[in-house]
Structure formats: structure tokens, C-alpha cells
Amino acid sequence: MTAAAIATLGIAPVQAEPRATPTRVQLEFLRGPGAEDCPDERFLREQTIRKLAGVDPFDAAAPLTLTASIERQRGELAAALFLRDRSGRGLWADGFSARVDCEVLVSAIALSIAVLLDGDELPAMSGATPDLPAAPGAPPAPPQPTDQALVPVQPCSPDRPCPPQPAPASVSSSEKTPPRRQTPTVRAPPGSSAPPGPSERFRWTAGLDVVTGLGLTPGVSLGTAMSVGARWPAWSAALEVRGLSSLSGKVEAVAVSVSTVTADVILCLNRRTLFACGLAEIGVLRAAPTIPFDAASWLNLRAGFGVRAGIALPLAENLSVRAHAEVVHPVIGIAILRHPGALVRERPVWSAPALAPALGIGLQANL
């Protein structure tokens, strides 16, 4: 827990002079559901070696095996460490969880490993009989020979009858059942646990954002956007509906109210706190002049394709704040005409540019 706190707060620990030969172990690193994009085993090895002042404690022929694992549980990252000997007997275990960047959590695991292997308590601990369960799937310890097994037994024959066997001693009820010892709870590696439920792999999302754009209407526009979607560990899909109104009250010195309503289909790739998306949108532009051009109001169809990129930071287990920037290229352009119904083609008083940027910030809830 101390290692996780140090790594989470970003405080560089004061490294003492390491031992010349830290305890050597075999390393197993597992990335479970929801942690596929976390740094790999190579990153963990490099961070551990760096924290041991360049000493490599990992050896494929070492008698001890250290298993480190990361998986996402109920919206947060959980790390587990498990040390066992050749027979599979558990010697040490640790675990912690945090709502931090996965790279920070892997660095915290490396710090915990370095403190364990560079400490003075590990040799004494490995020689004792700890009160920990054996690792799942470990082979049973071979039976130790006893003095009775070494004494040769003469076979029975008619000339040499077998000696009478002693009657089994009566065992009291208190001796039949040995006293149960309470063992600490140890988190085994995720490879031996039951597979995570569907909620850890898939969840519904809902979002509410404040959006401002340039080129979607005359001048700068401002409005809100609501979205619903589905989220997997590596990608997501959403349907977003937003309404924007122009902050400019005039078009070529004529008072006019302009607003737009669009529906966007958004597909995103997610990596840690960052996301990149492609989107397709369709909508209408409404222009209602205060002093009519030729009509009180009229609608204009618009459509386009664009890209979006942003960042999402967790605030709570099921709530995060996000911000994004996007740019859209219109496929079906929009324009405001002075005489929409005129038979003679005229120059528009405003038309959409080739690229329309927008910025948004809001909240996303995981349902």
C-alpha cells in the first residue's frame, strides 16, 4: 500500500544503498480483463531494475516465483502480487487498487517488488513455514521419508507368523478434528480465478457536454450535447444529439436568429485516458430573420464527416470528466440565402466553411 501511495502521488522515493545481491526470483506478469493496454512485462522488469540501482533480480532458474497481475474490477484497476516456492506453497502476497493511470500502477508494482527483494526479511520468511495457502495448480510437496519406512519388514510365512497388530488408540472428539487456523486472505493470480462478469467487459454510458463551435452557424455557436453509448475496454460507440445557437445576432447587417440541430454517430478507440474517434453527422440549420428576407424561417439540410480526439479523467467509480476537440468537413453544405425561393441563383449571405471546428467539455456516467 505504501508503494502504491508513493507511486500515485508521484513522489520519488529516497532509495537506500541496495544490497549487492538481492533475492532472485522468476517473474510472471499477467494482464487481465480491462488491463490489456497496460505496460507489458518488459516495462515492469525495467522499472524494477531501475529501482534496484541497475541490479537484475529476475532469473528463470530461481527457486522462487513471483506472480504480478493487473485487472479492472468495478471500474478501477486492481494489482496483486503472489510469491511461492517450487512446491507451490505461498510465501508472501500483497494487493492494492487505485483509480490512476495504468503506467503509474505498474510502476508501483515495480517499487513493491524492489522493496521485497531488497529487504532483509525475505530470506528468513522463505525459510519459515508461512500461514499462506498454496498457489493454485502448484504440485504437492513430495512426502518426506520417515524412520519407520527405512526399517525392512520381514514377510509373513507359516514358520514366521505375523505379529499381532496393535489396536488403534481411541481418539477423543477434540483430537479427531485439528484446530482450524485462521489464514489471511490472499488474492491468487487472475488465471486461477473465475472469469470476470460481463459488467467488467462491457457497460452502457451516458454523457452531457457543453459545446462551442465555429463554422457550424454564422459566427461562434454555443449549446449542449447529450449522448448514449456502449463501452468496451478498447473501443466505444455512441449516438450524440446536440443543439447549437449562433451568438451572432446579425448576418450582413440583418438581424437573424440561426440555430442547428445535429445527430452524430461516433466510434472511438480508447487507450488509458485518451480517446480518438471518427464521426458522421446529419442535421438541419434553421434561420429565422427578425426582419424577413422573404420568409419567416426556413430549414437547410447538412451532413458531414469528421474526427475527434480528447481525454477522460475519472472522478468516481462510475463518473468521469471529459474534454474533446473535433473538426467536421461538410459533405452536404449549408448556406443562408437572401431569397430562398427565388428562381434566379443568388450569392448566399453566409455559407459553411470547408472545415468546422468545435470544442466540448462535460461528464460521462458508466451505467
Side-chain angles (χ1 to χ4, degrees), residues 41-85:
E41 181 177 326
R42 178 180 178 183
F43 179 84
L44 177 59
R45 288 175 177 267
E46 292 175 351
Q47 290 294 312
T48 306
I49 294 173
R50 184 176 67 84
K51 295 180 187 333
L52 288 173
V55 180
D56 187 355
F58 303 116
D59 185 0
L64 302 178
T65 300
L66 180 63
T67 300
S69 64
I70 297 181
E71 63 180 349
R72 188 172 294 276
Q73 297 179 353
R74 296 181 294 277
E76 64 181 15
L77 293 171
L81 297 173
F82 195 90
L83 182 69
R84 65 180 188 270
D85 57 15

Side-chain angles (χ1 to χ4, degrees), residues 294-321:
D294 275 342
S297 65
W298 59 282
L299 300 178
N300 198 347
L301 181 67
R302 57 171 297 174
F305 295 93
V307 293
R308 173 183 295 184
I311 183 172
L313 301 175
L315 294 178
E317 181 176 351
N318 296 319
L319 185 66
S320 60
V321 60

Side-chain angles (χ1 to χ4, degrees), residues 27-348:
L27 177 64
E28 295 178 351
F29 185 48
L30 307 174
R31 291 178 294 182
E36 295 86 352
D37 296 331
C38 290
D40 56 9
E41 181 177 326
R42 178 180 178 183
F43 179 84
L44 177 59
R45 288 175 177 267
E46 292 175 351
Q47 290 294 312
T48 306
I49 294 173
R50 184 176 67 84
K51 295 180 187 333
L52 288 173
V55 180
D56 187 355
F58 303 116
D59 185 0
L64 302 178
T65 300
L66 180 63
T67 300
S69 64
I70 297 181
E71 63 180 349
R72 188 172 294 276
Q73 297 179 353
R74 296 181 294 277
E76 64 181 15
L77 293 171
L81 297 173
F82 195 90
L83 182 69
R84 65 180 188 270
D85 57 15
R86 291 188 185 275
S87 64
R89 182 183 55 175
L91 303 177
W92 174 85
D94 194 10
F96 44 86
S97 61
R99 301 185 186 97
V100 296
D101 183 83
C102 194
E103 183 174 332
V104 176
L105 191 58
V106 176
S107 299
I109 294 176
L111 179 59
S112 181
I113 295 175
V115 172
L116 171 70
L117 301 183
D118 197 44
D120 297 329
E121 71 278 4
L122 183 60
M125 179 182 63
S126 62
T129 303
D131 194 14
L132 290 176
Q144 299 295 331
T146 61
D147 296 339
Q148 183 179 0
L150 299 178
V151 178
V153 179
Q154 298 292 334
C156 300
S157 64
D159 299 333
R160 186 182 180 86
C162 295
Q165 298 295 330
S170 60
V171 181
S172 62
S173 58
S174 60
E175 296 177 348
K176 291 181 180 179
T177 304
R180 300 180 60 182
R181 296 182 301 173
Q182 295 183 353
T183 58
T185 302
V186 179
R187 297 178 53 179
S192 60
S193 60
S199 59
E200 298 181 12
R201 299 174 178 264
F202 166 84
R203 59 186 182 271
W204 297 102
T205 61
L208 179 63
D209 300 86
V210 176
V211 182
T212 180
L214 182 63
L216 302 174
T217 62
V220 179
S221 58
L222 182 66
T224 59
M226 295 182 294
S227 63
V228 293
R231 173 70 186 267
W232 288 264
W235 64 282
S236 61
L239 174 64
E240 180 180 278
V241 178
R242 63 186 179 184
L244 303 176
S245 298
S246 176
L247 300 181
S248 176
K250 293 184 177 181
V251 178
E252 289 194 353
V254 177
V256 60
S257 174
V258 183
S259 60
T260 179
V261 177
T262 59
D264 297 75
V265 177
I266 307 170
L267 297 176
C268 300
L269 292 176
N270 305 289
R271 180 171 179 83
R272 300 175 188 172
T273 59
L274 303 178
F275 59 88
C277 315
L279 61 91
E281 73 173 22
I282 187 171
V284 293
L285 179 77
R286 179 181 180 272
T290 304
I291 303 176
F293 295 105
D294 275 342
S297 65
W298 59 282
L299 300 178
N300 198 347
L301 181 67
R302 57 171 297 174
F305 295 93
V307 293
R308 173 183 295 184
I311 183 172
L313 301 175
L315 294 178
E317 181 176 351
N318 296 319
L319 185 66
S320 60
V321 60
R322 63 183 181 180
H324 70 268
E326 68 178 50
V327 60
V328 177
H329 171 67
V331 177
I332 301 178
I334 54 175
I336 299 178
L337 303 177
R338 187 175 295 274
H339 306 93
L343 298 177
V344 180
R345 184 180 181 85
E346 64 178 1
R347 182 184 65 85

